[in-house]
Amino acid sequence: FHLAIAPRLPSSPAAFVAMKYAKMLAFALGLLLVVGAAVPGVRAEDDEVVPKAKEFKEGSEKYEFQAEVSRLMDIIINSLYSNKDIFLRELISNGSDSLDKIRFLALTDESLLGTGAAANLEIRIKVDHENKILTIRDRGVGMTKTELKENLGTIAKSGTSAFLENMQKGGDMSLIGQFGVGFYSVYLVADFVEVRSKHNSDPKQWSWESKADGNFAISEDTEGEPLDRGCEISIYLKEEAQEYLEEAKLKELVSKYSEFINFPIYLWTSSEVDEEVAVEEKEAAEAAGDDKEDEDEEEEEDASVE
């Protein structure tokens, strides 16, 4: 048994047109409702401010990576290689090589080492938790503007092609340092890298930056802390590489990869300490005076009661 209800027909052509228009409008509204339901609602947490992507410094000179270097970086960036720890091994090794060079040069000209802190042949590692930056600094020989441009971008090292061929054959990423291109392993963990450098032969300090998008930029570094000599590498860590901000993790890796390093490696650490803050003499005297006044008032009150 089925109950069928016949549609009521319009009594005039004008009424028919109005009904047709009403049906079309209802259909359009229904479609909007369906589409709206398919789009997830914006929650309060979606309104959180997303940190602005790091950009090249204003006025910097921009360059393209040499073709083979660009291919090398693409392989590293898109690699599923799980042992990302090797980037720290390579950067410590590069820093050690740079220190060896300045030490050798200083054998014939001791003045090249400079004085004070600049003469300390060492590597320092520091963490910026707030900005998620890992910094590695050495007091080695450093690089000039031309050396930054050529060594880190426009001239492929002799081992670049060999490493690319090795990877195409299913080679091991951990061997990257043996091909002389270990620096680029930093892109296993970095979204953005800045290298600040000062060489004895150049009065200016320079900054090299790259987002690993096929381009890099160089500019005079007038804002950063003076280096005296050497290189400072600032690594803006990927979201999935935040473990390298942890002190315990860094201590483990530095201990592991410093076995054959002949220079001291210092890791900046932080700790919370509770201390008793001494009250200033003036404040202490005022406090004592207030207590004396309170005692006098209490004595007067006692006297009036008696």
Side-chain angles (χ1 to χ4, degrees):
F1 174 74
H2 298 281
L3 176 63
I5 300 178
R8 184 177 179 182
L9 296 175
S11 57
S12 66
F16 179 79
V17 172
M19 179 179 289
K20 185 175 181 182
Y21 175 76
K23 288 182 177 180
M24 292 176 63
L25 181 60
F27 175 76
L29 290 173
L31 184 61
L32 287 174
L33 288 173
V34 171
V35 172
V39 178
V42 178
R43 297 173 298 177
E45 55 264 34
D46 293 333
D47 294 332
E48 294 180 358
V49 178
V50 177
K52 186 178 180 180
K54 178 72 174 168
E55 298 294 338
F56 292 150
K57 294 177 181 177
E58 186 175 350
S60 59
E61 300 174 15
K62 299 174 179 60
Y63 304 91
E64 290 186 358
F65 283 107
Q66 192 268 351
E68 284 190 336
V69 175
S70 188
R71 283 178 56 205
L72 167 66
M73 294 177 68
D74 285 341
I75 290 176
I76 293 172
I77 293 167
N78 298 313
S79 171
L80 297 178
Y81 186 64
S82 59
N83 184 20
K84 301 182 187 300
D85 296 351
I86 63 169
F87 86 91
L88 192 59
R89 179 194 69 193
E90 296 304 321
L91 296 185
I92 289 176
S93 177
N94 288 350
S96 177
D97 290 344
S98 182
L99 290 167
D100 270 329
K101 289 178 182 178
I102 191 64
R103 183 168 63 179
F104 177 77
L105 292 172
L107 292 176
T108 54
D109 186 358
E110 191 175 349
S111 67
L112 292 176
L113 286 179
T115 58
N120 297 329
L121 300 183
E122 61 191 20
I123 296 173
R124 290 185 176 269
I125 300 175
K126 187 176 182 179
V127 168
D128 180 346
H129 289 278
E130 182 178 353
N131 296 304
K132 301 177 181 178
I133 301 172
L134 176 64
T135 301
I136 302 174
R137 175 176 176 176
D138 68 69
R139 296 188 186 275
V141 70
M143 286 183 279
T144 63
K145 176 184 178 182
T146 299
E147 288 171 335
L148 281 171
K149 178 182 175 182
E150 294 181 351
N151 294 345
L152 301 184
T154 57
I155 296 182
K157 295 181 181 294
S158 58
T160 306
S161 297
F163 177 74
L164 291 173
E165 292 175 6
N166 181 64
M167 293 304 296
Q168 288 174 350
K169 297 176 182 177
D172 187 354
M173 176 75 75
S174 68
L175 301 178
I176 186 171
Q178 297 182 17
F179 295 90
V181 288
F183 167 78
Y184 299 104
S185 65
V186 71
Y187 289 102
L188 288 169
V189 298
D191 278 328
F192 189 95
V193 176
E194 178 181 8
V195 179
R196 299 169 55 240
S197 189
K198 174 69 175 65
H199 191 279
N200 281 334
S201 67
D202 191 340
K204 295 181 179 180
Q205 183 167 298
W206 298 95
S207 169
W208 178 98
E209 303 171 290
S210 177
K211 293 182 283 188
D213 58 356
N215 302 285
F216 64 93
I218 296 178
S219 60
E220 183 179 352
D221 182 23
T222 57
E223 301 175 0
E225 175 189 352
L227 297 177
D228 295 320
R229 184 195 64 250
C231 285
E232 181 181 86
I233 304 173
S234 295
I235 306 163
Y236 293 72
L237 293 168
K238 296 178 181 179
E239 196 61 39
E240 62 270 23
Q242 301 301 301
E243 62 181 309
Y244 297 106
L245 294 173
E246 299 173 6
E247 184 178 313
K249 176 72 172 179
L250 291 173
K251 281 184 176 180
E252 174 194 345
L253 293 179
V254 169
S255 176
K256 178 179 180 181
Y257 294 134
S258 62
E259 184 178 358
F260 301 105
I261 303 299
N262 298 319
F263 303 96
I265 301 175
Y266 298 98
L267 174 62
W268 287 66
T269 59
S270 61
S271 60
E272 295 184 3
V273 179
D274 294 330
E275 292 184 356
E276 292 185 4
V277 180
V279 179
E280 296 291 340
E281 293 182 3
K282 182 178 179 180
E283 293 179 356
E286 290 177 352
D290 291 341
D291 292 341
K292 178 63 176 175
E293 290 177 3
D294 292 341
E295 290 176 1
D296 292 342
E297 289 177 0
E298 289 178 0
E299 288 177 358
E300 290 177 2
E301 290 177 0
D302 292 340
S304 62
V305 170
E306 292 175 357

